[in-house]
Each structure stands twice: as C-alpha cells, then as structure tokens.
Amino acid sequence: MSIFGEFKINNNQLVAIETGAEIPLNREFALDAWRMATFVWVINALRATRKMRGREPRARISFFPKKPRSYYAIWPVCQLADVKIVDDPAEADLHFYFEDREFLTAPRQAPSNKPSLNIGCFDIRKSVVARAFEEVFGYGLTIEPTTFVGTAVEKSEANGKHDGRLIECPIAAPKQGHVYQQVIENTFDGIEHVDIRTPIVGGKTTPYVFLKRRTKERRFTNDNHRVDLAPIDAMLSADEQEKITAFARTMRLDFGGLDVLRNRNDGRIYIVDANKTDMGPPSAMRAQDKLTAMRGLAKAFAEMVDEKLKAE
C-alpha cells in the first residue's frame, strides 16, 4: 500500500520508498502527524494573510526532480520568505535540486541556466561527510574496524536509515555499504544524548540550532523525546561556526541540515551527517519555537535568494 507515492506500509512500518527509512506506525507517529498537520495549517494561514495584504512573491522557484511536500523544512521556509513554488521551470527565477538519494555519480542538469541551489551537493554518503569533515577540521572520525581495538559505531552509508549500532572491534571484515567511526560521547550530563542539528542556508550557519534530545537506548534513531531551540552562539564558538560554514561549502550544501555532536570527553565537535532534503521543523519542538525557527530560516533564505537574483 503506497501513501502519496513516496511511502508504503509494510509490517506496521511506514517505509520511505526512495531511501528505505522506516517509521513505526504507533502512538508517537500519530502524535507527530497531528503536530505536523497543525503546523502546516498555521503556515498556510500566515501565507493566506500575506496574500490578502497584497504581498507579492519576491521570486519563483522550481524544484527538480521532485517537489517537496509540506513536511520538508524548505516548504514552510518558502512560504514565509515569499518565494513561490512553481511547477513549470520556465516560470522560475531559480531552481532547487531536491532528491532524497544520498549519491549520484554526477550532478543532475538544472532545467535552465538560472541560479540553482544544492546543484553540486549530489554525494552525502557518510564516508564523504567524514572525509570533508576531516579536511576542514583537521581531525577525524573514521576508524579502521579490522585493527581498531574497542567500541565503535557501525552505520549505513545511506541517508535516513538511522541504523547505527555499537560494536566491538576489531572485526574480521567491514560490511559492504557501511562506515565505522569513533563513539562520540554527546551528552551534557552523561545521560541524555544531544544532537546539535545545525541548519544551513546560503552555505552558512543561521542564528539558531535545534537540540535534539534522546535517551541512551534511542541515541541512533530519529526519535527525540524533546527538541529545544537554542541560539547558535550559546552552543558553538565563532571558530566552530566558521569551520561548519567551510564544511558546508566543501559539500556544496546551499540549504540543508547538519548533525553536529560535541564530545563530552575532549570538548570537540564532530559533524556526522549532512542532509540536503531536511525534514522539519522537528515535531517534538514547541509550537512557538517551530515558528521562530522557520522565520529565522526564511529570513536567511530570502536574503540568499535576493543575492542570487542580484548577481544574475
């Protein structure tokens, strides 16, 4: 059974057809769906109000090879930035490469020579992220599982799998399509694991980050028991923000999200994932924080769009 052509139901799991990511169909899912629907209603209401006041779109944007649904972060951002999503690329002032696949052998061709966002970000496999991170930050995350002695993380190269697990090394041979990395003790208190989800707009960091909090048992899942909005300056130093921006530019990520972990043991940050089709805002976040976050992203997105069109 398919849902909107992008999901199917299999053994009480909602499975993303493109990535294979699985979401349990349970009470938490129903609550998340309700929160998402409520937020979409708020965004539609705000957009309708702007239209009634005669607010004209600052630009028109087309997405390829597919258009984002309302549960992707770029959708509310476009609505709040007065950027109109159009179906016909010929009507667009700029284009946005949008595809959940983590890897292509070469970038897709844009529909026209108009400015294109994320066009160069066509390989976000975990190994590529790890190499770019080490290149920019000067220290690494990857281990060699056949010689390393101790506990390590094994996870899929694929986007959205959330299948990380702890293993004991050395092992006889690595699994095909998997990467092996250090265990990052990303807790503030030694108990609750915290991912610093760092939005990227225009290849740069933005004023806010999302603190995605998880229990020890669910640290490698996308099941957050709480998500807090925090000023980026409170969580990341100016030097760290500069390096994160350099990393995003290395990955050619114009718009997306990064998972940043701070190691409690050495104080360093580690970028473990890059997502160019970021979903959001996180459902576990407070409603007012969601709106504040999306307005902040929309402001940065509007500035980027204006710069792109001015440079034409």
Side-chain angles (χ1 to χ4, degrees):
M1 176 181 178
S2 67
I3 300 177
F4 304 132
E6 296 184 5
F7 295 92
K8 63 182 179 180
I9 294 176
N10 184 27
N11 295 327
N12 209 33
Q13 300 274 332
L14 192 64
V15 182
I17 293 172
E18 195 163 10
T19 65
E22 297 180 348
I23 305 169
L25 291 173
N26 51 25
R27 183 179 177 278
E28 286 74 19
F29 170 78
L31 181 59
D32 284 349
W34 179 83
R35 288 168 173 163
M36 185 185 302
T38 302
F39 183 71
V40 169
W41 182 89
V42 170
I43 296 299
N44 277 326
L46 288 172
R47 183 66 188 129
T49 301
R50 293 157 93 97
K51 284 183 177 179
M52 288 174 61
R53 291 175 178 170
R55 190 100 171 210
E56 292 294 324
R58 70 179 349 102
R60 291 168 174 79
I61 188 169
S62 72
F63 291 80
F64 70 98
K66 70 173 188 177
K67 193 163 68 170
R69 301 279 186 183
S70 56
Y71 45 78
Y72 287 99
I74 187 61
W75 183 85
V77 164
C78 283
Q79 310 309 312
L80 295 173
D82 296 315
V83 175
K84 185 177 181 180
I85 299 174
V86 297
D87 295 323
D88 186 355
E91 297 178 1
D93 301 302
L94 65 165
H95 310 296
F96 193 123
Y97 167 54
F98 194 86
E99 188 173 25
D100 280 331
R101 291 175 59 177
E102 69 277 348
F103 171 66
L104 292 175
T105 54
R108 291 191 183 274
Q109 186 171 352
S112 77
N113 60 359
K114 297 284 181 67
S116 294
L117 307 177
N118 279 1
I119 187 71
C121 189
F122 57 90
D123 189 350
I124 56 169
R125 288 174 295 176
K126 301 295 188 297
S127 58
V128 173
V129 169
R131 284 198 299 271
F133 168 75
E134 185 168 357
E135 176 185 324
V136 171
F137 280 77
Y139 55 90
L141 184 64
T142 304
I143 58 101
E144 171 48 61
T146 59
T147 57
F148 179 80
V149 178
T151 306
V153 177
E154 176 191 76
K155 59 185 176 181
S156 169
E157 286 266 33
N159 181 36
K161 282 288 189 180
H162 300 290
D163 60 352
R165 67 186 188 106
L166 298 178
I167 64 167
E168 291 302 316
C169 293
I171 59 175
K175 281 185 184 178
Q176 186 174 4
H178 285 69
V179 295
Y180 297 83
Q181 298 177 343
Q182 300 176 44
V183 178
I184 305 301
E185 183 57 29
N186 62 319
T187 66
F188 294 160
D189 55 8
I191 300 172
E192 185 181 55
H193 292 269
V194 181
D195 286 13
I196 307 172
R197 185 67 165 186
T198 306
I200 296 294
V201 181
K204 300 181 288 188
T205 57
T206 66
Y208 295 104
V209 294
F210 309 148
L211 304 183
K212 302 171 79 170
R213 302 176 184 275
R214 298 169 187 154
T215 61
K216 180 180 179 181
E217 295 75 23
R218 299 184 178 185
R219 65 181 297 190
F220 296 117
T221 72
N222 198 33
D223 188 2
N224 310 301
H225 71 81
R226 196 174 99 216
V227 180
D228 297 325
L229 188 66
I232 192 170
D233 292 338
M235 304 308 302
L236 298 165
S237 71
D239 179 64
E240 289 169 339
Q241 291 178 49
E242 287 178 9
K243 286 179 178 173
I244 290 172
T245 293
F247 169 86
R249 288 177 176 161
T250 298
M251 295 293 295
R252 300 190 67 184
L253 180 66
D254 296 310
F255 184 97
L258 307 177
D259 281 332
V260 179
L261 311 183
R262 187 175 295 283
N263 194 332
R264 188 167 182 254
N265 296 329
D266 62 17
R268 289 173 162 179
I269 62 167
Y270 294 78
I271 299 173
V272 297
D273 194 18
N275 195 329
K276 65 184 189 298
T277 53
D278 207 11
M279 289 189 179
S283 61
M285 185 183 287
R286 292 190 315 150
Q288 186 55 52
D289 285 347
K290 289 179 184 179
L291 197 53
T292 298
M294 291 302 104
R295 279 176 165 155
L297 293 185
K299 182 177 182 293
F301 189 70
E303 291 171 355
M304 176 182 66
V305 167
D306 290 346
E307 287 175 11
K308 292 279 187 184
L309 296 183
K310 193 181 296 183
E312 257 200 298

